[in-house]
């Protein structure tokens, strides 16, 4: 490999990262590096395919500002359409903030309750960077998938989608098995009493 080719590749790599749009606006040691990297890749793909910018802010605390002031600090320079997943650990705050254009693309409450809250640990000492990364990433990926679905595009870097039909079938089968098991217990109980 020639010296000029190496310098050219290195320059291209440097320029790409220098002008790349950061999608993790701030991370105060709340997210692990792999999560930050994945968010940057997925956000870039969502932006390229839909025009929607997805951002994450993961703070240890709000500092001297209140929640609204801190959120406004981050969203004041964002261009529409955007979605910001905002987390402050000490204050136990998670918000999904979307511009008016992006808000119609997905249901914030569904994402919050079904994909974020369900993974939040019960104890404060379990709020490790790994656990925080898990629930924020789960919600983030679901937002990305819903925006992609709204725009009818496929995301290469998203998690594989679970087949809803298979989920429903497995759940139904488990309920039927549980019901049969309960019937067997009742049957055995009645036979021993009689």
């Amino acid at each position: 490999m020639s010296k000029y080719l190496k310098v050219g590749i290195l320059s291209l790599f440097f320029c790409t990262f220098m002008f790349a749009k950061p999608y993790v606006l701030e991370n105060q040691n709340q997210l692990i590096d792999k999560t930050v990297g994945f968010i940057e890749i997925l956000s870039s793909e969502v932006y390229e395919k839909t025009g929607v910018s997805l951002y994450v802010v993961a703070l240890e605390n709000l500092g001297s500002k209140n929640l609204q002031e801190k959120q406004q600090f981050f969203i004041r320079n964002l261009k529409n359409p955007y979605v910001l997943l905002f987390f402050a650990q000490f204050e136990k705050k998670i918000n999904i903030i979307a511009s008016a254009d992006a808000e119609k693309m997905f249901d914030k409450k569904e994402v919050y309750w079904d994909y974020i809250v369900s993974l939040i640990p019960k104890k404060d000492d379990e709020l490790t960077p790994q656990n925080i990364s898990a629930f924020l990433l789960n919600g983030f990926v679901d937002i990305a998938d819903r925006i992609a679905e709204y725009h009818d595009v496929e995301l290469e870097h998203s998690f594989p989608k679970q087949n809803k039909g298979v989920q429903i079938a497995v759940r139904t089968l488990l309920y039927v098995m549980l019901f049969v098991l309960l019937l067997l217990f009742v049957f055995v109980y009645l036979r021993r009493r009689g």
Side-chain angles (χ1 to χ4, degrees):
M1 203 182 227
S2 76
K3 176 176 136 182
Y4 297 111
L5 184 59
K6 287 180 185 176
V7 170
I9 291 172
L10 189 61
S11 298
L12 181 63
F13 181 76
F14 177 73
C15 288
T16 301
F17 279 100
M18 193 169 105
F19 296 110
K21 192 174 183 182
Y23 293 100
V24 177
L25 299 177
E26 190 165 342
N27 176 24
Q28 295 177 344
N29 297 318
Q30 301 300 297
L31 301 172
I32 59 176
D33 291 340
K34 286 182 181 179
T35 300
V36 171
F38 182 78
I39 287 171
E40 295 293 343
I41 290 168
L42 184 58
S43 294
S44 293
E45 183 181 4
V46 170
Y47 180 73
E48 288 170 16
K49 293 183 176 179
T50 68
V52 179
S53 299
L54 299 179
Y55 298 99
V56 174
V57 170
L59 304 175
E60 189 174 345
N61 60 55
L62 296 174
S64 60
K65 296 182 178 176
N66 67 33
L67 181 63
Q68 278 68 36
E69 290 172 335
K70 199 68 165 181
Q71 289 175 163
Q72 284 301 315
F73 172 79
F74 288 105
I75 64 174
R76 68 177 178 218
N77 294 321
L78 301 181
K79 301 225 184 311
N80 290 337
Y82 67 84
V83 177
L84 172 65
L85 182 56
F86 184 92
F87 172 72
Q89 180 182 1
F90 182 76
E91 290 80 6
K92 297 180 179 152
K93 295 290 182 190
I94 300 172
N95 283 345
I96 301 170
I97 306 158
S99 64
D101 301 348
E103 203 165 79
K104 64 185 177 191
M105 297 178 196
F106 67 99
D107 185 343
K108 293 193 294 188
K109 288 181 183 174
E110 269 185 33
V111 173
Y112 181 78
W113 290 108
D114 295 345
Y115 292 88
I116 297 175
V117 171
S118 60
L119 293 180
I120 296 175
K122 303 291 184 236
K123 298 177 184 172
D124 287 348
D125 62 338
E126 293 176 350
L127 279 175
T128 63
Q130 290 78 13
N131 288 337
I132 293 168
S133 292
F135 64 76
L136 289 179
L137 185 61
N138 201 45
F140 184 82
V141 168
D142 188 59
I143 293 169
D145 287 343
R146 289 170 188 250
I147 290 172
E149 188 177 313
Y150 179 86
H151 288 279
D152 198 28
V153 296
E154 289 287 322
L155 297 175
E156 293 174 33
H157 296 97
S158 188
F159 296 152
K161 292 185 180 176
Q162 296 176 347
N163 188 335
K164 292 277 186 195
V166 172
Q167 269 185 330
I168 292 168
V170 169
R171 190 176 297 150
T172 304
L173 182 63
L174 287 173
Y175 286 135
V176 168
M177 289 171 56
L178 181 63
F179 182 69
V180 168
L181 190 60
L182 287 173
L183 281 177
L184 283 172
F185 279 126
V186 169
F187 178 73
V188 168
Y189 176 76
L190 291 176
R191 293 243 337 165
R192 288 192 179 185
R193 279 193 86 202

